[in-house]
Amino acid sequence: MFYRRPRVTDLIREARRDLAYRPRLGPASRHPYHRHHRAVRLRRLFFVVAVLTVSVPAAGLAVLTQMPQADPGTAVVRRSVATAPAAAAEPVPTASAVPTAPATPSSVPSSAPSPVAPLTSMRQPHLFVVAPRPLGARVIARVGRLAGVRAVERADAAEVLLDGKRVQTLGVNPSTFRAYTPGPTARSDRLWRNVSAGEVAVSFVLGSDGGMPLGKTLTTAGRNLRVGAYATMGMGAIDAVVSRQTARALGIPQNNALVVSAPRADSAKLRRALLEVLPPGGQVVVINPVLTAPRRTTWAAGSFMTTSQLTTALTAAAGKVGRPYVWGAEGPDSFDCSGLVQWAYAQAGVKVPRVTHQQFVSGPQIPLAQAQPGDLLFWRHDPTNPGYVSHVAIYWGGGKMLHAPRTGDVVKLVPVTTRNFAGVVRISPQVAARVR
């Protein structure tokens, strides 16, 4: 049973008075999201710490880390893994499952695109590795020998400025990387042909909420890059994928990232083992979470936020009504949906994780009918990965919610909607602080 918190009548009354004040719009953050637009912000997930940022100023591309040439190769698997059975591919979905733009020649590749091999199997990705320099064959071999590792996929990783937004981008081999993505994404031949032809596939959230429409041509590092598809890669902070050929044309460092499939390994133990193998500065993130919602049914009174904390968080969020949505923004002048949540709760001294799917496991789920002011509401809007939690709002009470909707909109108080509704979570500060 849930601990019954004190009455929140005073909290609602005070917060409603706050809504009468509609602050002037501050200057929009110049960086955009689900993770990225700070006034000068570095993302909290792996790329954040990985010191390997590619930015694209007006003058062209600047790589902040000098990267030596690495040996070629896009997918690396242990020899014993090559014959190991992988999960069978799922039935082909309808054509609308992954939105793609009609293919057109791109100006980025300097040679003809490589043909894309058909999907024959699926692999579950479990950990993502990124390093400040290329990972050579010796390191890859050591990774492949770690207990539980079934397959390893090489990639190129950097933060790239796309349409004014700092976007975590991977350069991949379309023929092999597709097997590590969610089913609808993996099965879309057209998507991967577009990527191979020099176009960029962006996440559904970046495309729809971040205002990056299909078919739009971006100028990056003095080159044109067309948005060819919306497709969630199922890897948390990664919001854009290009071919490795395109990545090289854009100046993205080579061979500095790995996707590791280890279906029977303890992810936490394997993460520690990987960190021992990697060169200094290497980072490892669990991408197929070992993140599970708490299963307890009885919670002590101190498990949840106090009335004072709830008042502070709601008042802080209400004070930002009218501020613009900016993809990746974390405040204080602009926000994306999860950035608003993180910022508001931080004002109450409560640490919650940055991205929506992590916030979803920051406390117990409760029925919508039992929601109280300060609980979090979640939705699954992404057709390219229907299981992915892609939007969050703060429950206000009385059937209303505070949220930052999408590009072109502002933080607002609106009625709760239940289309694609994923659930309600009551934040437990202790649980939220442990989510990684």
Side-chain angles (χ1 to χ4, degrees):
M1 83 175 14
F2 284 99
Y3 156 66
R4 290 182 63 82
R5 293 183 288 187
R7 294 173 62 86
V8 291
T9 307
D10 293 339
L11 164 108
I12 296 174
R13 186 181 302 115
E14 178 177 346
R16 280 181 175 151
R17 281 200 302 269
D18 257 313
L19 276 182
Y21 166 63
R22 194 175 175 84
R24 293 172 300 181
L25 296 186
S29 170
R30 59 188 178 86
H31 302 312
Y33 183 151
H34 251 288
R35 356 177 224 77
H36 245 100
H37 267 271
R38 49 233 166 186
V40 170
R41 121 173 164 131
L42 266 168
R43 190 169 191 113
R44 269 199 178 81
L45 294 176
F46 46 95
F47 286 97
V48 179
V49 198
V51 254
L52 150 74
T53 301
V54 172
S55 60
V56 187
L61 182 102
V63 182
L64 302 187
T65 306
Q66 290 294 324
M67 311 298 286
Q69 291 295 316
D71 40 317
T74 56
V76 180
V77 224
R78 288 192 298 160
R79 186 168 300 172
S80 60
V81 173
T83 56
E90 303 173 36
V92 177
T94 60
S96 61
V98 177
T100 55
T104 58
S106 169
S107 63
V108 172
S110 56
S111 59
S114 302
V116 178
L119 178 70
T120 58
S121 62
M122 298 281 287
R123 291 195 180 278
Q124 183 84 356
H126 295 93
L127 298 103
F128 184 86
V129 175
V130 66
R133 60 176 182 268
L135 298 168
R138 190 169 298 178
V139 172
I140 304 297
R142 292 184 65 189
V143 170
R145 288 194 294 268
L146 292 175
V149 173
R150 296 286 298 276
V152 181
E153 176 80 3
R154 283 186 180 179
D156 310 324
E159 182 182 87
V160 176
L161 194 65
L162 297 177
D163 196 33
K165 303 169 177 65
R166 294 191 176 275
V167 179
Q168 310 301 343
T169 304
L170 283 188
V172 304
N173 178 342
S175 293
T176 55
F177 180 79
R178 65 188 298 183
Y180 292 81
T181 64
T185 300
R187 295 188 295 263
S188 176
D189 291 328
R190 181 174 175 181
L191 182 159
W192 296 108
R193 285 196 297 266
N194 284 3
V195 170
S196 182
E199 298 184 341
V200 58
V202 302
S203 71
F204 178 79
V205 173
L206 174 56
S208 62
D209 294 350
M212 197 175 287
L214 284 174
K216 181 172 184 175
T217 298
L218 316 171
T219 300
T220 301
R223 300 171 181 270
N224 290 334
L225 189 61
R226 184 172 179 269
V227 179
Y230 288 170
T232 296
M233 298 298 152
M235 298 183 186
I238 297 169
D239 277 294
V241 166
V242 296
S243 70
R244 303 197 79 189
Q245 182 183 7
T246 300
R248 281 156 176 67
L250 295 175
I252 294 176
Q254 300 178 23
N255 296 321
N256 64 323
L258 302 173
V259 178
V260 178
S261 178
R264 297 184 180 179
D266 180 297
S267 294
K269 291 181 181 178
L270 180 55
R271 180 179 180 275
R272 291 192 291 271
L274 284 166
L275 287 171
E276 293 179 1
V277 168
L278 297 176
Q283 297 293 316
V284 182
V285 171
V286 176
I287 54 175
N288 242 331
V290 190
L291 293 178
T292 55
R295 294 182 179 178
R296 285 181 287 172
T297 56
T298 302
W299 294 74
S303 299
F304 303 110
M305 295 169 64
T306 65
T307 300
S308 175
Q309 287 176 317
L310 287 166
T311 301
T312 301
L314 282 168
T315 301
K320 296 303 179 180
V321 167
R323 296 299 175 94
Y325 176 102
V326 176
W327 185 86
E330 297 178 329
D333 297 318
S334 57
F335 301 88
D336 65 14
C337 66
S338 56
L340 175 65
V341 169
Q342 186 185 54
W343 182 86
Y345 285 78
Q347 309 315 300
V350 177
K351 180 181 178 182
V352 298
R354 174 62 181 93
V355 295
T356 310
H357 71 271
Q358 292 178 318
Q359 293 173 356
F360 189 57
V361 293
S362 294
Q365 292 187 32
I366 62 173
L368 179 58
Q370 296 179 15
Q372 298 180 12
D375 290 340
L376 299 184
L377 312 179
F378 295 88
W379 289 262
R380 305 180 195 271
H381 290 316
D382 186 348
T384 71
N385 189 8
Y388 185 73
V389 176
S390 57
H391 188 66
V392 62
I394 301 170
Y395 186 61
W396 178 258
K400 301 285 185 68
M401 64 184 188
L402 274 164
H403 74 147
R406 63 186 60 81
T407 293
D409 213 331
V410 297
V411 176
K412 58 175 59 173
L413 180 68
V414 297
V416 173
T417 62
T418 56
R419 180 174 176 269
N420 299 327
F421 191 67
V424 183
V425 168
R426 182 158 296 162
I427 290 293
S428 168
Q430 298 89 343
V431 172
R434 294 198 299 269
V435 175
R436 294 291 184 269

